[in-house]
Amino acid sequence: MEKTRSEIGDKSIIEETIASISENEKISIPGYVIFLVLYIAATVVVELCAGYRGNIVISGRSIPAAAFTGVFSALANVFIIFMVVFCRKLGFYTAITALLVQIFLIIMGIVKTQELISLPGLFTDIFTMIAIILLHKKNERLRNYQQRIMDQAVTDMLTGLPNRFACSELIDSLIKRDERFAVVLIDLNNFKSVNDTLGFDAGNKVLTEIASRWKDIADSGLSGTLDFINRLAGDEFSLIIRNYSSSEDIIHTINQYEEALGRLLTIDGCDLYVSASIGYAEYPDDAKNFDRLFSYSDAAMSEMKRLGSGNHILHFTPDLLKPERTLEIERKLRTALDNDNIFFCLQPQYDISHKLRGFEALARLKDEKSQILRPDEFIPVAERVGMIDKVDGAVLKKAAVFFGELIRKTGSDIILSVNVSVKHLMKNGFLDELRDVLDVSGIPADQLELEITESVMIDSAEKALHCIEEIKEMGVKIAIDDFGIGYSSLSYLNRLPADLLKIDKSFIDKMNTSDSSKQYVAAIISIGHIMGFEVISEGVEENEQLDSLNDIGCDFIQGFVWGQPIEANEAESLVLSYC
């Protein structure tokens, strides 16, 4: 059941939600009780064996009962160690108390009997105590480090609000519990003019002040709903609204955030008024998975921005998915697929010392008038109308054939990286299609890399994981694309048998605008390395970004700073220059 504001008390709603996302594993009380009972049982057996002077017959052989004293004493200490490892502070303090009592009793027995027969047990308990103290300290340091990494992973460094990852984790948990909620996307209007006029520092102050106002509303609970405000990227925010009874409640809550936004802002002596375009969609009425909820909210928000009317709030309706431009691009896309006019360009990837790693194949579309459509125009349409698998399938086959010939000609060990959509990857025939591509093209499997997004684990984690494992068995590499804006949890990410992690361009763009932005990229790289991945940053366009990535340990670079997308013949010339 969702907590109310009064139940949370002094802890804010946002902090409470973040804690539920980023908290370390909870202590298992049943496990603690089991270890404690086993320890007590083993200790009792030790006392019984030590006090019994007779023999025990096992398989016809008579064994002195005292011989079992050491065995069960060691077993008791094993349970003590398990308690410390799995039950954290509760287990540690219980173990210390038990050992101190045991040591005291042994010493008293030695003093009373004036015999040293219990001396080995005394030293065993002392050494066990030293071992569990060292083990506890090391585990606590490790847990604290993991907590810091998780805190960075769920927090926007500039505003202190939860970030996109925290938002996705919350939505994922709400969907699993089948709880009703609304996803509200908020995009500040004309915010670029603030940066252009007053500078990035002033722009950051504006974002921080807006975030502070909204955080106060969310934490106060005065809206009457349970709100979770977070920053997605740049001037984009999202608001998750729960515990409402009608659409009027949603509008009432959004109005409070809009009113707070509309109040005068004074930054560096300049008075500013900021407005926003707002769109929202509801679960489960409008959509039942994360991707569609965000896509539909974004469609409503984009339409609101396009209209530029006095009313800034729009609820998603299905007709927003089929504007005229979308229909025109869909027609061009279908024609291009029918006429085999989907082709590819190659963008080079380098390691940090500027050694060529390989290329990413990027989809391009030529219409019937031989005009080239931008990928940001036709790729979203292809995803929306269910043709993205045909697009990236065409790119995969053509790029692999070219690369196979290039590798045979040059003997180079370069890698071809190709995007594979979730829909394409999850098709029943995808693995056979991939095997056919490898056979026809002759490209070595370990020189082909498939880029997938974390969202592949959302709808059918087990099926996706099985598919990816089979791909890995073929020898093909796996890269996780657009890391940092993905929707899956770190637990899902940790299960993926991937080789490479790609940091999204949006983070690289802002990396040098503030120390917190740079630290955030450094945290992503650190997470990637901790999980055993190599890390590549895409969208690197400036030497200053390159220097910063070198300083914080990024492995590979992709972007205009070292190379724009080029045609196949230019890519071949580039490879030959490195041979």
Side-chain angles (χ1 to χ4, degrees):
M1 181 178 292
E2 196 67 64
K3 293 185 178 181
T4 65
R5 184 70 185 92
S6 60
E7 290 173 326
I8 292 173
D10 292 337
K11 199 170 189 180
S12 75
I13 291 173
I14 291 178
E15 288 173 342
E16 177 73 11
T17 309
I18 285 291
S20 70
I21 293 172
S22 62
E23 66 184 357
N24 282 324
E25 69 276 10
K26 295 180 179 179
I27 296 173
S28 171
I29 297 301
Y32 167 77
V33 172
I34 289 172
F35 288 136
L36 184 58
V37 169
L38 290 173
Y39 166 74
I40 293 172
T43 303
V44 169
V45 173
V46 168
E47 293 300 320
L48 292 175
C49 290
Y52 183 60
R53 301 304 177 186
N55 295 331
I56 298 174
V57 178
I58 300 177
S59 300
R61 299 185 63 180
S62 181
I63 303 173
F68 292 95
T69 303
V71 174
F72 283 96
S73 177
L75 191 59
N77 286 337
V78 168
F79 293 138
I80 282 283
I81 292 173
F82 282 171
M83 199 182 301
V84 173
V85 171
F86 295 106
C87 301
R88 298 167 61 182
K89 286 186 178 180
L90 178 61
F92 172 71
Y93 288 120
T94 303
I96 287 292
T97 302
L99 287 172
L100 285 173
V101 170
Q102 197 166 308
I103 289 171
F104 175 76
L105 293 175
I106 292 174
I107 293 174
M108 292 299 295
I110 292 174
V111 172
K112 183 177 180 180
T113 63
Q114 297 296 308
E115 294 182 1
L116 300 179
I117 191 171
S118 299
L119 197 59
L122 174 63
F123 280 99
T124 298
D125 287 344
I126 292 172
F127 292 148
T128 301
M129 181 178 291
I130 293 171
I132 66 173
I133 290 173
L134 294 175
L135 180 62
H136 175 70
K137 287 184 176 295
K138 184 172 181 62
N139 283 346
E140 286 301 302
R141 284 197 298 269
L142 179 60
R143 288 190 182 101
N144 289 337
Y145 176 73
Q146 290 174 331
Q147 188 62 45
R148 288 197 301 272
I149 291 294
M150 280 301 301
D151 289 342
Q152 290 177 332
V154 298
T155 304
D156 175 60
M157 296 304 176
L158 174 64
T159 63
L161 290 178
N163 61 10
R164 180 185 287 268
F165 175 74
C167 173
S168 67
E169 287 290 277
L170 174 60
I171 291 177
D172 185 44
S173 66
L174 293 175
I175 290 175
K176 287 178 180 177
R177 299 199 300 266
D178 198 27
E179 293 188 23
R180 184 180 181 84
F181 64 95
V183 175
V184 184
L185 291 190
I186 308 171
D187 187 82
L188 303 184
N189 294 327
N190 303 313
F191 185 74
K192 185 177 182 295
S193 63
V194 176
N195 286 331
D196 292 344
T197 305
L198 301 179
F200 284 106
D201 287 342
N204 287 340
K205 291 177 183 178
V206 170
L207 294 174
T208 303
E209 173 60 25
I210 291 171
S212 177
R213 293 180 182 183
W214 285 346
K215 187 175 186 298
D216 288 343
I217 296 174
D219 288 342
S220 69
L222 295 178
S223 64
T225 55
L226 196 58
D227 308 334
F228 185 79
I229 185 72
N230 55 95
R231 183 185 180 213
L232 299 178
D235 58 354
E236 295 180 0
F237 296 81
S238 71
L239 174 66
I240 311 303
I241 303 176
R242 295 167 280 170
N243 288 10
Y244 61 89
S245 57
S246 66
S247 297
E248 288 75 18
D249 292 341
I250 296 175
I251 297 297
H252 172 73
T253 295
I254 296 174
N255 280 333
Q256 293 197 40
Y257 286 85
E258 188 179 25
E259 288 170 6
L261 176 66
R263 294 198 300 268
L264 176 67
L265 278 168
T266 302
I267 303 296
D268 294 340
C270 297
D271 292 340
L272 302 172
Y273 288 93
V274 181
S275 65
S277 298
I278 303 171
Y280 73 94
E282 294 182 67
Y283 173 89
D285 296 348
D286 297 321
K288 295 185 178 181
N289 65 53
F290 185 99
D291 288 337
R292 286 184 178 171
L293 279 168
F294 258 72
S295 177
Y296 293 173
S297 299
D298 183 70
M301 182 269 292
S302 298
E303 179 65 9
M304 201 73 268
K305 187 175 284 288
R306 186 184 71 82
L307 293 174
S309 62
N311 180 18
H312 297 142
I313 305 170
L314 184 65
H315 182 199
F316 166 80
T317 53
D319 59 288
L320 294 174
L321 299 179
K322 289 285 185 180
E324 288 186 18
R325 177 60 177 163
T326 298
L327 290 172
E328 175 64 13
I329 293 174
E330 181 181 343
R331 186 192 64 77
K332 290 178 180 289
L333 178 59
R334 293 185 185 279
T335 302
L337 286 168
D338 291 340
N339 297 335
D340 197 25
N341 280 336
I342 300 293
F343 63 103
F344 65 92
C345 286
L346 296 167
Q347 185 168 33
Q349 300 173 337
Y350 298 90
D351 69 15
I352 202 69
S353 64
H354 207 181
K355 178 184 176 183
L356 185 66
R357 175 185 187 262
F359 298 84
E360 179 185 2
L362 304 172
R364 296 291 185 264
L365 183 152
K366 184 183 296 183
D367 67 13
E368 57 269 29
K369 297 181 181 178
S370 296
Q371 294 180 334
I372 307 298
L373 265 67
R374 298 195 316 272
D376 61 349
E377 289 186 297
F378 72 86
I379 292 295
V381 174
E383 291 174 339
R384 189 175 298 165
V385 300
M387 292 190 289
I388 188 63
D389 55 324
K390 296 179 181 178
V391 172
D392 57 29
V395 172
L396 173 61
K397 292 172 186 175
K398 293 180 179 181
V401 168
F402 165 75
F403 232 70
E405 294 175 356
L406 181 60
I407 290 170
R408 286 189 293 273
K409 183 185 297 185
T410 63
S412 176
D413 60 351
I414 53 175
I415 292 172
L416 171 65
S417 187
V418 183
N419 285 281
V420 176
S421 66
V422 173
K423 180 182 178 182
H424 193 190
L425 182 73
M426 299 297 281
K427 284 181 65 174
N428 290 332
F430 176 76
L431 293 173
D432 290 335
E433 178 184 341
L434 181 58
R435 293 187 185 98
D436 185 61
V437 167
L438 292 172
D439 289 340
V440 171
S441 68
I443 184 174
D446 63 350
Q447 289 180 253
L448 177 62
E449 183 178 80
L450 301 184
E451 293 188 15
I452 61 174
T453 61
E454 300 160 86
S455 60
V456 71
M457 298 293 281
I458 294 295
D459 293 329
S460 182
E462 294 306 319
K463 181 179 178 181
L465 192 60
H466 176 71
C467 180
I468 293 168
E469 286 172 346
E470 287 206 37
I471 292 171
K472 291 289 291 181
E473 287 178 6
M474 296 181 202
V476 176
K477 297 179 183 296
I478 295 292
I480 301 171
D481 195 17
D482 295 338
F483 182 76
I485 63 171
Y487 306 139
S488 69
S489 67
L490 283 177
S491 60
Y492 281 157
L493 184 63
N494 195 39
R495 294 174 64 191
L496 284 173
D499 304 280
L500 184 76
L501 181 151
K502 295 192 75 173
I503 301 178
D504 186 68
K505 181 181 184 297
S506 60
F507 297 107
I508 304 304
D509 288 343
K510 300 174 180 62
M511 182 175 59
N512 286 335
T513 60
S514 67
D515 187 57
S516 60
S517 297
K518 182 177 179 180
Q519 289 176 5
Y520 187 72
V521 175
I524 294 176
I525 293 172
S526 178
I527 290 173
H529 287 163
I530 288 170
M531 292 185 171
F533 306 142
E534 292 184 302
V535 181
I536 185 169
S537 294
E538 60 181 351
V540 183
E541 298 179 352
E542 301 171 0
N543 287 319
E544 290 79 7
Q545 295 171 342
L546 191 63
D547 293 338
S548 295
L549 291 168
N550 188 20
D551 292 339
I552 58 181
C554 190
D555 302 300
F556 301 106
I557 300 296
Q558 179 179 338
F560 288 2
V561 69
W562 276 348
Q564 299 188 26
I566 54 179
E567 295 184 1
N569 60 333
E570 295 174 283
E572 181 175 346
S573 299
L574 181 59
V575 172
L576 290 171
S577 71
Y578 275 85
C579 292

